[in-house]
Amino acid sequence: MTSEAYNQPDFKKYKFRELKAYSSTEWLADNKKKYRQVFDRYETTYIYAELSLYNKLYDIEDWEVDVELRCYALKKGRTELCSLPFKRKVSKYDNVIYVREGWGNKKEGAFWKKGTYYWEAYVEGEKVATKYFYVEDAGREVNFYDNPYLEVQSLRLYEGPYDDIPENDRLYYKSFCGEETRYIYAEIILRNLNPNKSWQCELFTKFYNDARELKGQIIRLHRVERKDEFITITAGWGSNVKGSWRKDRYTCELIFMDKLLAVLPFEIGDEFEEGISPVMLPNNPAPMVLEPDEDADLTFEDVMSKLDALIGLKEIKQKVRDHAKYIQFLQLRKEKGFDENSQINVHSVFVGNPGTGKTTVAQMMGKLYKKMGLLSKGHVHEVDRVDLVGEYIGQTAPKVKDAIEKARGGVLFIDEAYSLARSNDDTKDFGREVVEILVKEMSNGAGDLSVIVAGYPKEMRHFIDSNPGLRSRFKHFFDFPDYLPQELSEIASYAGHEKGVILSPAAEKRINELITEAFRNRDRSFGNARFVYDIIEQAKINLGLRIMAHDNPKSLTKDEMSLIQLADVEKISIKPKRDMPSIPVDEALLKTSLDELNRLIGMTKVKQQISELVNLVRYYRESGRDVLGSFYLHTVFVGNPGTGKTTVARILTRIYKSLGILERGHMIETDRQGLVAVMSVKQLSKRQKK
């Protein structure tokens, strides 16, 4: 370029490159920033504009440029927030000129409010660019554990051309053929956790190779409308020329408001492999396959129909329906202007034996509450005492709060909840701390969470009475009775359908007999539906073993491989017996032990009881009856110190050994100190630091 050319009056010494917005001042490689268009008000202090220009006098001479950055808010027209004029020296050694200035307040959430804004850039008095950005407000800040805006519902990959392909024509892969792949698309379905307002969703989809080099990035700005339950976005990277993807391991990663949402690994190899790879979520250590919610399009009546389709539970179904209808009545009153002072209560107590459908009904109630707008997700997070109670001081509260956050938007289902209140007098039981946190969480005003506790009837009454606040929080009680034999038979047919097997008439008759027998002998540990499912599973296993014993299993038909015969059911043992060791009586040891016992002074009744036990064991052996399964060996010795309890215990142990009742016949003597763990303050401090 000649000096005459750039000294002309109309010559521009720059060329506009880009105008971007960002809020983080974190330094990144290549002088880059975390450029965004959507910001959360609670995390935002200053929002900056970055104006970049190409320097036409690069390597020629230094010069000065006049720049002005203006920021506006779109509120009933436009409102100017700031005007930032300044001169900037441009070095001839800079190929690109960067101008960065911001506006706001150093306190997070103090200046920026929800709304639409934009930066305008002027160079030498001429407007060169406009950049819109948005500030959103979900009520709380996005962090690693909690995203109040959205949740990843489904993430799948497919291959296609530049202009994408219709949803019904997509084939989903977890491995792609390098020679045939054009664009790899991510189909992303996000659950909207802010259905009561419209907002802007800015999603970054990044593809990395195994060396963590950025293959490509796609930014989607999507307006989420009020009442939108799901947000569906597709983002693809590649080329219409096949072969742009080299053989390697890759990841597809989703970023929202500078936070990692999900990581989906995939491979480029020699051929396509259909399937869906497990997704890694930041707050969940176990990878999981995420697919679209099958119940997303269900209406309230659809969910109720699914509940009605459950076998048995007639009274429970009616009570759930009445409960739902009453909630709809309260919601209607609010719409009509009635002042309902109290919050709609969605916390319940489920009482019943195992396998009576408590978890299934909890899942249905979660979906119902979601359809009624009381819960944002409607999922069920199931926990028990082990998941909530810590091993040492300070560990319980974080575990409970973590469980609550995982259940947020749905149902926290606490099975065997009575174990949290073992004794009202035990002040050292950390279960009491769990109950106190739950009571506080369920207080009026705590939203987007339903707590359902379940367990045996008697124990659950004790649990509810263990804390004065529990009874006022739990308004709804559901009593789950044991299934009747005819209902269990229906469940057996349904279980067979689920497991892909068919019962022959003889097999079905025998299974019904097993069910009836078990029902007659049931106690409160009776498994109900679980018991039936176990029978069908055992029958299927026996079917498999019979099929594989065939000379040529592959020659059998599909019907033969799915039909359970009577012989498969006959092999099922409801109460399997454990083979016990056959140990002969050690006469020499028995005589020595009895002589030692008889030499003791006093204790006539004790000697008599032990002598009767020896005679009874001999009788059982002579008559061929089970010795080991017929005697309770647990004994209580009551007496003052020095009355011979320990001495008799040692002798009795040798007598048990000589009779073959005990296999080893040794004795371990201990006391409270040997059983109860004692942790020093120093040790506790070390564990808490870890």
Side-chain angles (χ1 to χ4, degrees), residues 220-438:
R220 292 280 189 261
L221 184 63
H222 181 92
R223 179 173 173 80
V224 183
E225 299 296 342
R226 187 188 302 268
K227 299 298 183 183
D228 282 352
E229 188 173 352
F230 293 98
I231 308 161
T232 301
I233 296 172
T234 60
W237 187 265
S239 169
N240 266 338
V241 178
K242 296 178 181 180
S244 61
W245 288 89
R246 302 295 177 89
K247 293 182 181 180
D248 201 353
R249 294 183 298 184
Y250 295 83
T251 56
C252 171
E253 305 185 10
L254 306 183
I255 309 294
F256 174 79
M257 289 194 180
D258 289 344
K259 302 294 188 298
L260 181 65
L261 283 183
V263 178
L264 178 63
F266 65 96
E267 291 188 10
I268 306 295
D270 294 325
E271 57 186 19
F272 289 100
E273 181 184 354
E274 290 190 32
I276 303 170
S277 296
V279 177
M280 292 175 284
L281 303 176
N283 58 352
N284 191 339
M288 56 191 300
V289 174
L290 296 180
E291 296 187 79
D293 185 2
E294 297 179 356
D295 298 326
D297 298 327
L298 294 180
T299 64
F300 171 82
E301 285 302 327
D302 291 334
V303 179
M304 288 305 305
S305 296
K306 278 195 165 188
L307 177 65
D308 290 336
L310 296 177
I311 297 170
L313 304 175
K314 182 179 179 181
E315 293 181 3
I316 293 293
K317 293 173 186 176
Q318 186 59 50
K319 195 164 184 177
V320 171
R321 182 176 285 277
D322 291 344
H323 173 51
K325 290 295 183 184
Y326 181 67
I327 291 176
Q328 288 179 324
F329 165 70
L330 294 179
Q331 291 175 324
L332 182 60
R333 280 174 58 90
K334 284 188 176 182
E335 291 176 7
K336 296 294 183 181
F338 285 90
D339 185 16
E340 293 288 348
N341 295 324
S342 60
Q343 295 286 330
I344 296 176
N345 190 289
V346 290
H347 309 305
S348 305
V349 178
F350 284 8
V351 173
N353 290 330
T356 49
K358 297 187 293 295
T359 305
T360 302
V361 173
Q363 292 170 344
M364 293 292 182
M365 291 183 72
K367 293 173 183 177
L368 283 173
Y369 289 149
K370 180 181 177 232
K371 294 301 175 185
M372 299 166 77
L374 299 175
L375 297 176
S376 60
K377 301 178 186 177
H379 67 294
V380 173
H381 180 58
E382 186 173 353
V383 296
D384 56 19
R385 179 183 169 91
V386 175
D387 302 311
L388 300 175
V389 178
E391 298 177 1
Y392 51 86
I393 297 173
Q395 189 186 33
T396 297
K399 292 182 75 172
V400 178
K401 291 175 181 177
D402 180 60
I404 289 173
E405 290 309 313
K406 287 180 179 178
R408 185 76 65 188
V411 175
L412 178 63
F413 184 81
I414 306 176
D415 198 14
E416 298 182 354
Y418 52 81
S419 63
L420 299 175
R422 290 175 171 173
S423 172
N424 291 336
D425 300 327
D426 188 359
T427 58
K428 297 180 180 179
D429 183 16
F430 296 148
R432 296 166 62 91
E433 184 180 356
V434 177
V435 174
E436 291 168 1
I437 296 174
L438 287 175

Side-chain angles (χ1 to χ4, degrees), residues 496 499-508 539-540 542-544 546-547 556-569:
K499 295 180 181 295
V501 295
I502 302 172
L503 299 175
S504 69
E508 183 177 6
K540 184 178 180 180
N542 293 335
L543 164 66
R546 175 169 57 81
I547 293 296
L556 299 177
T557 65
K558 196 172 182 180
D559 290 341
E560 289 175 317
M561 296 185 69
S562 60
L563 185 63
I564 291 178
Q565 302 283 6
L566 175 61
D568 302 322
V569 181

Side-chain angles (χ1 to χ4, degrees), residues 490-524:
E490 286 186 60
I491 292 173
S493 299
Y494 180 79
H497 176 74
E498 273 196 338
K499 295 180 181 295
V501 295
I502 302 172
L503 299 175
S504 69
E508 183 177 6
K509 180 181 178 183
R510 178 56 185 152
I511 284 179
N512 289 339
E513 291 173 354
L514 292 175
I515 289 173
T516 302
E517 181 184 355
F519 180 82
R520 284 173 173 163
N521 299 324
R522 76 189 188 283
D523 54 21
R524 71 175 194 167

Side-chain angles (χ1 to χ4, degrees), residues 29-151:
D30 300 325
N31 196 25
K32 293 182 179 180
K33 300 294 181 181
K34 293 183 177 180
Y35 306 110
R36 291 161 57 183
Q37 279 187 262
V38 180
F39 306 87
D40 180 80
R41 64 162 291 197
Y42 291 100
E43 68 172 2
T44 305
T45 54
Y46 292 88
I47 294 180
Y48 299 86
E50 179 191 87
L51 171 66
S52 58
L53 309 169
Y54 290 110
N55 182 9
K56 289 187 177 180
L57 298 186
Y58 173 65
D59 209 25
I60 297 176
E61 66 178 33
D62 298 337
W63 56 285
E64 281 191 347
V65 61
D66 288 320
V67 176
E68 183 178 5
L69 296 173
R70 301 175 187 171
C71 187
Y72 295 91
L74 283 180
K75 294 180 179 179
K76 298 179 181 179
R78 72 173 191 171
T79 303
E80 183 176 297
L81 300 181
C82 68
S83 177
L84 307 172
F86 46 85
K87 285 185 177 290
R88 179 62 54 90
K89 289 185 177 181
V90 180
S91 170
K92 65 179 181 180
Y93 300 112
D94 292 335
N95 183 34
V96 178
I97 309 160
Y98 290 98
V99 179
R100 295 177 174 124
E101 290 293 337
W103 194 255
N105 188 292
K106 65 180 180 179
K107 183 179 179 181
E108 294 177 344
F111 181 81
W112 299 99
K113 309 298 180 185
K114 177 177 171 61
T116 302
Y117 303 82
Y118 62 92
W119 283 103
E120 285 185 349
Y122 295 81
V123 180
E124 305 293 353
E126 178 186 3
K127 179 181 174 180
V128 296
T130 300
K131 185 66 174 182
Y132 282 84
F133 62 94
Y134 309 88
V135 176
E136 299 295 345
D137 181 358
R140 58 186 189 275
E141 183 182 347
V142 180
N143 59 50
F144 180 80
Y145 297 100
D146 179 31
N147 187 332
Y149 289 93
L150 50 83
E151 176 186 63

